[in-house]
Amino acid sequence: MNSVFKKYFLIGMAIFTSNWLQLNFLFAIQNETKVPIDWINKINDIRFEKNGFIDTKIKKLEILMDEYIQLGYQKDSIYARMAHRLGDYYRIQNDTDKAIQLFEEAVRINSSNSIYSEYNYLCETYCNMGLTYLNIDLEKAETYFEKSLEIFEIYPEKKGFVAALIHEHMASYYFGLGDYQKAIEIIDYAMATIPSITSTIDGNMLLLQKAYSLLLLEQMEPSRDIFERIIPVFEQEGVADEKKAVAFSIYSQFLETSDRISEAFDYLEKCLQIRKVLGYHTSVANTLYKMGSMLSDSNPKAAIVYFEEALGYSQGSEAEMLIPVIYNGLGVLFQKKDDHFEALRFFQKGLVAMGKNFENNNVFTNPDPAYFRNFSNDQIGFVLLKNKGESLLELYNEKPKEKGYLEASIKTHFLADKLVDQMRWNQNNSTSKEYWRGRTKSLYEKALETSILANNPEQVFYFLEKSRAVLLNDKLNELGAMQLLSDEEVKKETILKKSIDNLLKQIETNKSDKLGYQKLVKELYDGREEYKKFIKSLEAKYPVYYQYKYDTMVFSMQELRERIISNDQVYVSYFMGEENLFILKVGSEEPVLEMKPIGTIYEKINRFNELVIDKTTLNGNYSEFVELSHQIYLDLVYPLGLKGERIIFSMEEQVLPFEILITNESDPESFLLKNHPVSFTYSAQFLKKNKVSTRDKPISLFGLAPVDFFNANKASLLGSEVSLKKLAAMFSGSKVLSGQNASKQNFLNDYYKYSVVHVYSHADADNYGSEPMIYFSDDKLKLSEIPFDSWPKTDLIVLSACNTGVGKSIKGEGVMSLARGFASLGIASSVTTLWEVDDKATYAITEQFYQYLREGYFSDVALQKAKLDFINQQDRGNRIPYYWGGMILIGNSFQFEDVGNQYPYTLVRILVVFAVLVMIWFFWDKQKKRTINHPSRVKD
């Protein structure tokens, strides 16, 4: 089983592990009481009876309740405890109606204000009511949790374990949605707000869940730190067996991910022994499934035995929800053995087992998309469909004449794609969304392969678009939706977001102050909850807002041709998968489709980038650069059959400076730039959402050049102020700030008011996850600090600083750079840099670029001409691509026409207006004279 499948199994099972963790933890609830101890002991004897199954406990508790009433006792707090406990057992068996009925009876008794009530126990009962609704109706669950937490605030020391339980379950809920970062935030909030929870078993259970979330977000170091600190605690005597089992189960996942397979299996065996003694089917089945998954590669026969035993524990019990996951495990096992017929049988069984409204075992059929909306665990549905689509594709590759396999594979991939959208909508945190974007890349690789084999360019275009920059498009959808709101609502949203941003900054600087830090964590969590409720209220109030915000439609290639690109442009989209490279060219002619083995293209591009970003390295290895650059040209560009068109390139994860590719290996300066104006885009969707028409109004330029960066220990940019003034002189309506005036706040105050923004500065970014930032005279501006309020007037932002197009690359989404940050604000186009740029070259190319813009050239052509001018003016040593290739245009190409400083055009317009006025006067005067000379023609 490869690593991708393993991760999906971990994810699919994580939900159920969490549910069992919740179940076990809830059973540990105990509290002080004033009621007779003998009856409490009788209840606890049933609760903690070893080898006692739920059905048996239910019968015993029902008998105990009848006996209590028959002995003449009233329905008092003891009876309420019995109802509470019985309701919890029915909750575990998914009998919601009986569970709620019993909980409500317990609430009626303990909220009656009689001497027989126990008000503080409502904390536990409201908690259990919330748990009952958690996977059915989140709003109801949250309402009951809030009631429980209100009582916790009255008895914080006594009811801290209930508060811990609530936050653990809420964390598990979001964990189940794949929103692992949200789960972490909830746990951090609980650790900061529940008194004395640190170093308690309740606190360690929360930390266990946090470590698991970090593990699935691939943050191994912080995950390891927590596991190494708390696992020894769970191994000690005195820790409840069910808690030990949960800890051992989760820790085995960490060990497996760390390639410590033998240790991982040992911990699962310990876990299994404990859980079989406790007698809870769900946890036993869950553990057996994990053991089967762990052996799928090394010992398939043993794995099948574990899977089948897991199914045995799942049939007809509360563990039925595990059945789809176990079938998926069996399917993948046979998929790995290339037995795709058997794999499909199990994947189909898994889909059928998910619910009651789909019972078709025919592998050529799929459920309706609405079938999956009723499940909180949409991840297992996604994994089943993804795997099913892959096996159908493999069967078609084995039997190309059987077109039914190909058609079924395409339909299955489309349905899996819909679930990807559903999963994204269910996640609130960008970190979790980014994680899941990476996990879906393999789906789109197989979807593209099916579409290529079907020779369907429209489907290829669809899946290429869905494979990239989806989160960026979501941001633009959200920005567009905000235009539908009132000024007051926009203002409120801005205030809430700024409050959250300020709290995040304060938390970063107050970690050493424990009390202050805990207070800020609580305020941050409360602020995020308030913001979430506000957004939900907008979605309910404005249906159009909701539709606009969650729009996932991909427009057609015909619309791309007719509305986005011009007749002299082509749109070229690439997808680089694990096995294949996919290329689509769309222009005025028939589309070009290409699929070829990925080969060594990744290695070529990595070495190519190493060469071009350093002038010394490039000069010393120029012959290698020419050879490598030409090879990449043959791989990526030559198959397109280009004829001098303007090219828009789109890649799903990185930006390759295509302009510097060598088209003729015998000519070391035969750059693609010489034949084609080039621009880049995050996706075709981005071009559509930010379409800019030809401008007939003046360019308003806002420019900043800090020059010196004393606070940041950066080199002075001598000459930047002079260059900026040259740019400003070209256009009317310009505002230029330099030196100390080029501050962060002055930038934020004004940048969105101008059609063009230009910044000469320094920037920091890398490919390893540190947040991109750009420097001003007084402070740095981080990507996350760029405000997201309303659509700016800005059409173009020029970031003349090092690495403004560089950032962490997220699979399936792209590079999280400064340029992309401004794109997410609705700025249609940016000129950005891919490496540390040379100052003098930058000034020269930039000034020529603006000159050509002023003359009415499209921005991609203007940048091409500016670069060619630079090359033609330099000696051989300064013509290498290092000097000019790093500056690229991302987004829409468009024309500007400035009317402010272009005297000839202004004079022509004045003369035309004057001529029209003279003609009007001439005809009016002539008509007047006729009237005077022929008065009889005037009517009475």
Side-chain angles (χ1 to χ4, degrees):
M1 181 167 57
N2 61 33
S3 60
V4 174
F5 285 140
K6 282 184 179 179
K7 285 180 181 176
Y8 282 128
F9 298 154
L10 291 176
I11 290 159
M13 285 310 304
I15 302 158
F16 303 109
T17 304
S18 299
N19 287 340
W20 181 233
L21 186 153
Q22 298 164 5
L23 158 65
N24 286 329
F25 194 10
L26 187 60
F27 270 24
I29 288 182
Q30 287 182 313
N31 61 298
E32 299 173 6
T33 177
K34 58 188 178 183
V35 297
I37 195 68
D38 54 336
W39 285 97
I40 296 296
N41 289 338
K42 289 179 181 180
I43 297 171
N44 286 338
D45 286 344
I46 296 172
R47 285 179 61 193
F48 299 118
E49 181 183 39
K50 290 191 175 182
N51 301 317
F53 294 103
I54 296 293
D55 287 340
T56 303
K57 292 187 177 188
I58 287 174
K59 289 178 182 177
K60 287 183 177 181
L61 197 52
E62 287 176 340
I63 292 171
L64 189 66
M65 291 175 73
D66 288 341
E67 179 185 346
Y68 191 78
I69 296 299
Q70 288 170 8
L71 289 173
Y73 291 109
Q74 298 186 31
K75 289 188 176 182
D76 55 12
S77 60
I78 295 179
Y79 188 87
R81 281 172 177 255
M82 296 181 196
H84 168 97
R85 184 58 47 210
L86 186 58
D88 193 42
Y89 291 144
Y90 278 118
R91 176 187 71 81
I92 294 166
Q93 289 196 326
N94 295 317
D95 192 336
T96 301
D97 291 340
K98 285 186 178 179
I100 292 298
Q101 183 180 352
L102 287 159
F103 289 143
E104 286 177 344
E105 185 167 16
V107 167
R108 279 195 299 271
I109 294 168
N110 283 329
S111 59
S112 64
N113 294 322
S114 76
I115 59 172
Y116 302 108
S117 67
E118 190 178 8
Y119 175 77
N120 70 68
Y121 202 78
L122 287 171
C123 189
E124 283 92 327
T125 306
Y126 282 137
C127 170
N128 278 14
M129 294 178 83
L131 297 181
T132 307
Y133 281 115
L134 189 53
N135 291 316
I136 302 170
D137 186 332
L138 179 60
E139 288 188 12
K140 274 190 177 181
E142 289 179 331
T143 298
Y144 285 116
F145 284 153
E146 286 173 4
K147 289 182 176 182
S148 178
L149 290 172
E150 286 173 4
I151 299 171
F152 154 71
E153 289 177 1
I154 300 172
Y155 309 98
E157 297 294 338
K158 192 175 183 179
K159 300 297 181 181
F161 72 99
V162 182
L165 187 61
I166 289 172
H167 289 103
E168 180 191 341
H169 279 70
M170 287 301 296
S172 294
Y173 175 81
Y174 285 104
F175 186 103
L177 295 177
D179 197 344
Y180 306 128
Q181 188 60 38
K182 175 69 173 177
I184 291 169
E185 289 169 4
I186 291 171
I187 292 165
D188 286 344
Y189 175 80
M191 297 299 292
T193 57
I194 300 174
S196 306
I197 194 171
T198 307
S199 300
T200 66
I201 197 65
D202 294 337
N204 285 330
M205 293 296 287
L206 286 166
L207 289 175
L208 191 67
Q209 179 110 337
K210 180 177 180 178
Y212 201 1
S213 299
L214 289 166
L215 176 65
L216 292 181
L217 286 173
E218 299 177 355
Q219 297 179 28
M220 289 296 293
E221 287 302 319
S223 177
R224 179 184 293 108
D225 290 344
I226 296 174
F227 278 124
E228 289 180 351
R229 191 168 75 249
I230 66 173
I231 289 300
V233 175
F234 285 100
E235 292 179 321
Q236 294 174 1
E237 294 293 331
V239 176
D241 284 345
E242 62 267 24
K243 292 181 171 61
K244 281 188 177 183
V246 169
F248 294 164
S249 176
I250 292 177
Y251 187 48
S252 73
Q253 305 286 68
F254 169 79
L255 293 171
E256 183 183 14
T257 307
S258 303
D259 292 325
R260 295 159 62 182
I261 305 300
S262 177
E263 292 177 74
F265 201 81
D266 287 345
Y267 271 97
L268 282 179
E269 286 186 321
K270 292 179 187 178
C271 175
L272 183 63
Q273 290 174 8
I274 294 171
R275 287 177 163 175
K276 280 189 172 181
V277 170
L278 291 172
Y280 298 122
H281 285 189
T282 303
S283 58
V284 173
N286 181 22
T287 309
L288 289 166
Y289 164 79
K290 289 183 178 181
M291 297 172 84
S293 296
M294 203 170 287
L295 294 176
S296 286
D297 287 337
S298 61
N299 193 342
K301 288 184 179 179
I304 291 172
V305 172
Y306 280 112
F307 284 139
E308 289 177 346
E309 188 178 358
L311 283 172
Y313 272 92
S314 301
Q315 302 292 342
S317 75
E318 67 272 11
E320 283 185 346
M321 58 186 176
L322 276 173
I323 293 175
V325 182
I326 299 168
Y327 280 139
N328 182 71
L330 282 161
V332 172
L333 185 148
F334 284 101
Q335 193 177 57
K336 186 73 175 177
K337 295 169 66 175
D338 290 328
D339 187 347
H340 293 286
F341 284 107
E342 192 68 3
L344 278 174
R345 187 172 72 86
F346 284 115
F347 294 142
Q348 193 71 12
K349 279 177 168 286
L351 291 170
V352 170
M354 285 189 70
K356 299 179 180 179
N357 300 321
F358 179 69
E359 298 178 354
N360 196 330
N361 285 308
N362 184 341
V363 299
F364 292 99
T365 63
N366 287 316
D368 187 86
Y371 176 74
F372 297 97
R373 292 178 194 151
N374 298 321
F375 305 104
S376 60
N377 183 6
D378 43 23
Q379 296 166 50
I380 186 57
F382 163 74
V383 173
L384 283 164
L385 289 169
K386 172 188 169 297
N387 292 337
K388 177 184 174 181
E390 187 171 335
S391 281
L392 286 165
L393 174 60
E394 291 303 321
L395 285 172
Y396 173 76
N397 286 330
E398 292 174 10
K399 299 180 178 182
K401 292 184 180 180
E402 300 288 341
K403 298 292 184 183
Y405 289 123
L406 185 63
E407 293 169 3
S409 180
I410 291 171
K411 291 178 181 177
T412 303
H413 280 107
F414 269 111
L415 184 55
D417 171 68
K418 289 185 180 296
L419 255 70
V420 171
D421 291 334
Q422 182 172 310
M423 288 161 60
R424 195 170 79 252
W425 295 336
N426 285 336
Q427 293 160 2
N428 298 296
N429 192 281
S430 60
T431 303
S432 298
K433 289 183 179 182
E434 290 167 9
Y435 170 81
W436 277 104
R437 288 302 300 157
R439 301 284 74 76
T440 58
K441 182 172 180 177
S442 58
L443 164 73
Y444 292 112
E445 180 172 2
K446 294 301 180 183
L448 285 167
E449 185 177 345
T450 60
S451 301
I452 289 274
L453 292 172
N455 194 28
N456 191 323
E458 196 67 59
Q459 283 179 190
V460 172
F461 177 69
Y462 174 87
F463 285 120
L464 282 169
E465 285 298 293
K466 291 303 292 285
S467 74
R468 69 202 53 207
V470 171
L471 302 185
L472 174 59
N473 288 324
D474 285 350
K475 274 280 190 183
L476 295 172
N477 283 345
E478 185 179 346
L479 189 61
M482 286 176 64
Q483 312 309 307
L484 305 172
L485 307 180
S486 68
D487 290 344
E488 184 178 339
E489 287 163 331
V490 171
K491 184 179 179 180
K492 181 175 180 180
E493 194 205 25
T494 302
I495 291 170
L496 289 172
K497 289 173 73 173
K498 284 183 177 178
S499 174
I500 291 171
D501 291 340
N502 288 334
L503 286 167
L504 284 168
K505 291 176 189 175
Q506 292 178 56
I507 286 172
E508 282 299 311
T509 58
N510 282 274
K511 289 185 176 179
S512 58
D513 177 7
K514 185 176 180 181
L515 292 177
Y517 175 77
Q518 290 178 342
K519 181 175 180 292
L520 289 170
V521 168
K522 182 181 186 305
E523 289 178 7
L524 176 62
Y525 182 85
D526 291 340
R528 282 175 166 159
E529 288 300 298
E530 184 181 1
Y531 179 74
K532 184 179 78 172
K533 289 178 181 178
F534 174 69
I535 293 299
K536 284 189 175 293
S537 72
L538 294 179
E539 293 170 357
K541 184 177 180 181
Y542 301 107
V544 177
Y545 171 91
Y546 183 89
Q547 293 166 11
Y548 200 123
K549 184 176 177 181
Y550 295 105
D551 176 25
T552 60
M553 295 295 293
V554 174
F555 61 91
S556 66
M557 284 198 304
Q558 181 178 353
E559 188 174 356
L560 174 65
R561 291 191 191 99
E562 293 177 355
R563 298 183 57 187
I564 310 301
I565 61 176
S566 56
N567 290 332
D568 63 341
Q569 283 183 303
V570 292
Y571 176 79
V572 182
S573 185
Y574 297 91
F575 183 98
M576 293 167 56
E578 288 188 4
E579 299 175 4
N580 292 303
L581 165 69
F582 302 89
I583 308 174
L584 170 68
K585 184 191 84 170
V586 181
S588 56
E589 300 177 351
E590 286 297 309
V592 173
L593 294 176
E594 184 86 9
M595 180 178 74
K596 61 172 69 174
I598 196 68
T600 59
I601 188 65
Y602 282 112
E603 292 79 3
K604 291 177 185 176
I605 290 175
N606 289 337
R607 177 56 182 161
F608 173 81
N609 287 332
E610 288 175 3
L611 291 173
V612 300
I613 64 174
D614 182 81
K615 61 183 175 184
T616 303
T617 304
L618 184 56
N619 267 321
N621 299 274
Y622 199 78
S623 58
E624 181 189 358
F625 161 77
V626 171
E627 180 183 359
L628 193 57
S629 177
H630 184 61
Q631 289 176 7
I632 296 173
Y633 168 78
L634 294 177
D635 286 334
L636 301 183
V637 181
Y638 181 76
L640 302 175
L642 298 171
K643 302 172 184 177
E645 302 96 330
R646 297 161 57 206
I647 311 172
I648 305 169
F649 287 111
S650 175
M651 300 185 78
E652 90 280 9
E653 286 181 26
Q654 59 181 309
V655 177
L656 180 72
F658 283 89
E659 293 169 303
I660 69 179
L661 295 181
I662 299 295
T663 62
N664 182 355
E665 194 173 9
S666 62
D667 180 358
E669 292 189 347
S670 58
F671 304 116
L672 186 70
L673 172 79
K674 294 185 175 181
N675 301 318
H676 301 276
V678 168
S679 63
F680 300 83
T681 186
Y682 304 103
S683 66
Q685 300 284 85
F686 176 76
L687 295 178
K688 179 187 177 184
K689 293 178 188 298
N690 289 282
K691 183 66 176 172
V692 176
S693 304
T694 301
R695 298 287 295 260
D696 61 357
K697 60 183 180 182
I699 299 174
S700 56
L701 175 71
F702 179 49
L704 296 94
V707 183
D708 296 310
F709 305 85
F710 300 114
N711 294 331
N713 195 26
K714 298 285 184 181
S716 298
L717 292 178
L718 302 177
S720 60
E721 183 178 8
V722 174
S723 179
L724 191 60
K725 288 180 178 178
K726 288 181 183 178
L727 303 182
M730 296 182 190
F731 308 109
S732 62
S734 298
K735 179 177 180 179
V736 172
L737 300 175
S738 60
Q740 294 301 308
N741 291 325
S743 66
K744 173 181 172 180
Q745 193 56 52
N746 282 341
F747 171 80
L748 293 174
N749 288 342
D750 283 340
Y751 82 92
Y752 58 89
K753 302 174 184 176
Y754 293 81
S755 54
V756 177
V757 175
H758 190 107
V759 182
Y760 278 128
S761 185
H762 288 288
D764 283 337
D766 59 41
N767 299 315
Y768 306 106
S770 61
E771 187 174 11
M773 59 189 73
I774 191 166
Y775 291 88
F776 293 92
S777 62
D778 59 338
D779 200 0
K780 57 184 176 288
L781 176 67
K782 294 182 179 180
L783 180 61
S784 61
E785 294 179 302
I786 301 172
F788 183 70
D789 299 329
S790 59
W791 218 289
K793 296 179 181 178
T794 312
D795 295 320
L796 170 67
I797 184 165
V798 182
L799 300 169
S800 294
C802 303
N803 299 316
T804 52
V806 175
K808 181 178 71 171
S809 180
I810 296 173
K811 283 186 178 181
E813 189 59 24
V815 176
M816 311 305 282
S817 65
L818 272 171
R820 180 186 163 113
F822 285 106
S824 69
L825 302 179
I827 296 178
S829 186
S830 65
V831 173
T832 187
T833 57
L834 298 178
W835 54 76
E836 292 187 7
V837 292
D838 178 83
D839 295 345
K840 291 182 180 179
T842 300
Y843 301 152
I845 294 171
T846 301
E847 289 163 17
Q848 283 299 107
F849 168 68
Y850 278 101
Q851 182 60 46
Y852 284 121
L853 263 187
R854 181 188 179 192
E855 292 176 12
Y857 288 97
F858 279 98
S859 48
D860 58 338
V861 179
L863 188 57
Q864 178 203 31
K865 292 177 73 66
K867 289 183 176 183
L868 290 174
D869 285 353
F870 175 82
I871 293 171
N872 293 333
Q873 293 164 7
Q874 303 301 313
D875 57 34
R876 188 184 182 102
N878 290 330
R879 292 202 297 267
I880 61 173
Y882 164 79
Y883 288 98
W884 53 268
M887 187 182 296
I888 62 168
L889 174 69
I890 302 179
N892 278 285
S893 299
F894 51 85
Q895 290 174 305
F896 273 129
E897 181 185 354
D898 183 66
V899 298
N901 288 353
Q902 296 181 17
Y903 174 76
Y905 296 108
T906 304
L907 180 60
V908 168
R909 289 186 176 121
I910 291 172
L911 290 174
V912 169
V913 172
F914 180 75
V916 170
L917 290 173
V918 168
M919 291 177 66
I920 291 172
W921 179 84
F922 174 79
F923 285 112
W924 177 81
D925 184 67
K926 188 174 181 180
Q927 183 64 36
K928 181 179 179 182
K929 288 180 179 178
R930 286 180 179 176
T931 303
I932 294 172
N933 293 332
H934 303 280
S936 59
R937 295 181 182 178
V938 179
K939 294 182 180 180
D940 295 333

